[in-house]
Amino acid sequence: MATYEDDHNITLAPQRQGAEDSGREHQSLFSVLNSFMTRAPQPAAADGSHDFSAISGADSAAVDALRNSLRVLSSEAGSTLAHELMEQLENNSSDFTGDKGVSDAFIDDMERVSVKDLKLIKTATDTCAICTNDFGNDQYPLLVALPTCKHVFDLECIGPWLKFNKTCPLCRSDVTVKKKLEIAKNYESEEEEEDWEMYG
Amino acid sequence: MSSLPKRIIKETERLVSDPVPGISAIPHDDNLRYFDVAIQGPSGSPYEDGTFKLELYLPDDYPMCAPKVRFLTKIYHPNIDKLGRICLDVLKNNWSPALQIRTILLSIQALLGAPNPDDPLANEVAEEWKSNEALAIATAKSWTEQFAKEGD
Ligand SMILES: [Zn+2]
Ligand SMILES: [Zn+2]
């Protein structure tokens, strides 16, 4: 699969195809990308570590702006490059944000848990490990269980974490092993954990 | 300044009302995300009887990202560099929002008791620690004596 960098290079140094329209299109596309690049904070701290405090909020806004610009260029200016980039952005936005998290769809698909059902989940804690509030104290709780380990968190707490990370805050297991698990369950619900791989 | 998340208020209250033995963390009056920290050197370590001052800052995204912590007191340790920066996995890639200020400070205290020259931040110190551990420990003790005992 083409990486973002591949597309990036193609975009910044497009093969000349002669048409004036095409040149304009690339110019406006370039300016869109350029403004995105300058708006998106560069996560480079002095010690080389990633400063996520600078990223999350601002970056998703910048990605949204880029997405909108690409959409306009793609539909109104008929830019195929913009269209391709837009698809790339939808399919693999992690390459744009530099994050290592899960997709929005993944977050939307997580199992909702009601406060009264918490007792039925043996891995559930009484408090959210992220905000440290009691689940029971929340007037309008919106709780989710992670697909693999079934640890329970407020959706509004675990959501932002999973946008940049694939691990459970409590047990550090990879939350994206879900698919394997579900497939395995369909075939062999009573199997031991060790056997899941063979169905994945 | 944006309002302080409830979690930070709760953590701060507990740090004050139920402090970790050998560790104090006091927020600044004018910036409740900035803490003056003091850690007692663990007994049996070259840092024993020393009081090490650190600064701890909770970034806006805390607890989605780790607190920023730095030693202010000079310390001779293979995982702490000249600028006081600390090489500790839970402050970097292994941060989890289920960790708290107190767990981080406990980890730092534990790091003082168990220097790890195989994962160094201060290379020269780590080299000395590996090639001549007795000398390194003596140096760490003398630095503790020199820099970590000025009471106030
Ligand atoms: Zn929460
Ligand atoms: Zn978990």
Side-chain angles (χ1 to χ4, degrees), chain B residues 9-47:
Chain B
I9 297 169
K10 281 163 75 176
E11 279 199 67
T12 306
E13 281 171 359
R14 191 161 164 234
L15 281 167
V16 173
S17 70
D18 176 22
V20 189
I23 297 175
S24 77
I26 298 156
H28 279 202
D29 288 336
D30 58 350
N31 185 350
L32 297 172
R33 288 175 174 272
Y34 190 96
F35 291 72
D36 289 321
V37 176
I39 298 181
Q40 303 293 325
S43 56
S45 77
Y47 313 102

Side-chain angles (χ1 to χ4, degrees), chain A residues 128-133 135 153-158:
Chain A
C128 172
I130 300 176
C131 66
T132 69
N133 290 331
F135 290 132
F153 302 90
D154 295 309
L155 178 59
E156 67 171 326
C157 294
I158 193 68

Side-chain angles (χ1 to χ4, degrees), chain A residues 146 148-151 153 168-173 175:
Chain A
L146 294 184
T148 33
C149 61
K150 301 288 174 193
H151 280 127
F153 302 90
C168 169
L170 278 172
C171 66
R172 298 186 193 277
S173 64
V175 299

Side-chain angles (χ1 to χ4, degrees), chain A residues 47 49-50 52 161 165 167 169-170 172, chain B residues 7 56-59 62-69 79 86-111 116 119:
Chain A
D47 59 357
S49 69
H50 291 260
F52 286 106
W161 172 253
N165 303 272
T167 52
L170 278 172
R172 298 186 193 277
Chain B
R7 161 166 167 167
L56 181 147
Y57 181 72
L58 303 174
Y62 179 82
M64 291 303 142
C65 58
K68 309 255 182 255
V69 199
N79 309 106
I86 307 161
C87 182
L88 187 62
D89 61 343
V90 286
L91 286 175
K92 308 255 159 90
N93 300 334
N94 268 341
W95 168 252
S96 148
L99 296 171
Q100 303 196 356
I101 299 170
R102 62 196 297 128
T103 42
I104 286 298
L105 295 179
L106 275 166
S107 301
I108 294 171
Q109 194 183 40
L111 188 68
N116 179 10
D119 182 22

